[in-house]
Amino acid sequence: MNLILFGPPGAGKGTQAKKMVDLYGIPQISTGDILRANVREGTELGLAAKAYMDKGELVPDEVLIGIIKNRLKEPDCEKGFILDGYPRTKPQADALAALLDGINKPIDVVLNLEVPDEELVERISGRLMCNNCGASYHRTFNPPKKEGVCDTCGGELFQRADDREEAVQNRLNVYKKQTQPLIDYYAEKGILVTLEGTKDINEVFEDIKAVLTKFA
Ligand code: AP5
Ligand code: MG
Ligand code: ZN
């Protein structure tokens, strides 16, 4: 099962991806998590990406295309994968299609989580993220069992640098301008399924499972 989880910042891509990994046993490929790990480790890639990320801008396409090419070659992707946060531009989508056509593993479905802007801002401003496994929590909507600590791995929870108010507004603008047009791109291919991302976390997951019964 080769999937794309699509949607604006704060739509719940990461939250749902973690639940899907547990159920279907295929990996989550979050380009945001990969970039943040590079920033944390101070790699050359991380140093180059940080300035874009802190402002809420997209990191250049050629960097992302390189990351995805390498990641999809890993053996854990053989049975399928969940792309979370990629593609975000038309060149990224074209590069992905070329790559997957080459290995005869097309995308089965694009799950598009729809959430209005006001709610996205509320979600992002209350988000806490695990510095070890990348799990997302929310101070009100999805608090960890123990304050400041990840339920699943015991990692420390932190607020993302790009979850500050100035960067959040820019991320929403960047999404609308550069990423949202991909909704039509995948709709034209006949593989887009739009889901109500405003439901609670478990209800959204039920809806995802219902869509995926024919692929799993
Ligand atoms: P990335 O890490 O991908 O961030 P994003 O797309 O902005 O998405 P988020 O991670 O903010 O949201 P999410 O949908 O995962 O929501 P979550 O599940 O956490 O990218 C970060 C940066 O990296 C980019 O700005 C860019 O600079 C760079 N980058 C990454 N990929 C790139 C690419 N392909 N090209 C170029 N640059 C790239 O949930 C959010 C909150 O809501 C949490 O608090 C959660 O607990 C809560 N929540 C989730 N679901 C619900 C629900 N149903 N009800 C109530 N609360 C909920
Ligand atoms: Mg995320
Ligand atoms: Zn964790």
Side-chain angles (χ1 to χ4, degrees), residues 8-200:
K13 302 181 294 294
T15 301
Q16 297 299 330
K18 294 278 183 239
K19 297 171 82 69
M20 293 159 74
V21 168
D22 291 343
L23 184 65
Y24 298 109
I26 53 175
Q28 168 197 19
I29 302 178
S30 160
T31 44
D33 286 351
I34 293 171
L35 290 168
R36 278 185 291 280
N38 276 276
V39 170
R40 219 165 29 240
E41 288 155 20
T43 67
E44 205 175 312
L45 173 70
L47 291 174
K50 188 175 188 312
Y52 295 99
M53 296 175 76
D54 285 352
K55 282 188 286 193
E57 297 288 333
L58 295 184
V59 175
D61 285 337
E62 57 274 19
V63 176
L64 269 297
I65 292 168
I67 290 176
I68 283 296
K69 268 193 182 149
N70 288 330
R71 184 62 186 87
L72 289 177
K73 277 189 209 143
E74 299 284 326
D76 64 339
C77 295
E78 256 158 43
K79 290 207 182 90
F81 49 81
I82 304 158
L83 287 172
D84 161 8
Y86 184 100
R88 272 168 136 101
T89 63
K90 178 75 168 35
Q92 291 184 20
D94 288 339
L96 178 68
L99 194 72
L100 296 178
D101 283 351
I103 53 174
N104 203 16
K105 279 187 182 171
I107 293 294
D108 294 307
V109 61
V110 179
L111 298 168
N112 174 33
L113 300 177
E114 223 172 33
V115 177
D117 282 6
E118 315 79 69
E119 186 156 348
L120 295 173
V121 173
E122 205 183 346
R123 286 185 185 186
I124 292 173
S125 53
R127 171 166 52 194
L128 295 167
M129 192 168 255
C130 174
N131 72 355
N132 180 50
C133 75
S136 283
Y137 296 87
H138 190 282
R139 289 181 218 280
T140 320
F141 305 141
N142 184 25
K145 293 196 178 82
K146 188 172 168 215
E147 200 184 318
V149 180
C150 178
D151 292 352
T152 41
C153 81
E156 195 183 324
L157 304 184
F158 72 106
Q159 181 173 34
R160 272 168 48 177
D162 61 345
D163 281 354
R164 285 170 290 107
E165 211 175 322
E166 321 81 77
V168 170
Q169 197 49 55
N170 196 38
R171 280 160 62 199
L172 294 176
N173 294 339
V174 166
Y175 171 79
K176 291 207 169 82
K177 222 166 116 194
Q178 304 191 58
T179 306
Q180 194 160 261
L182 292 179
I183 291 179
D184 288 341
Y185 172 97
Y186 286 116
E188 277 161 27
K189 289 184 187 286
I191 55 172
L192 185 87
V193 177
T194 294
L195 299 171
E196 269 178 72
T198 44
K199 295 184 182 176
D200 82 32

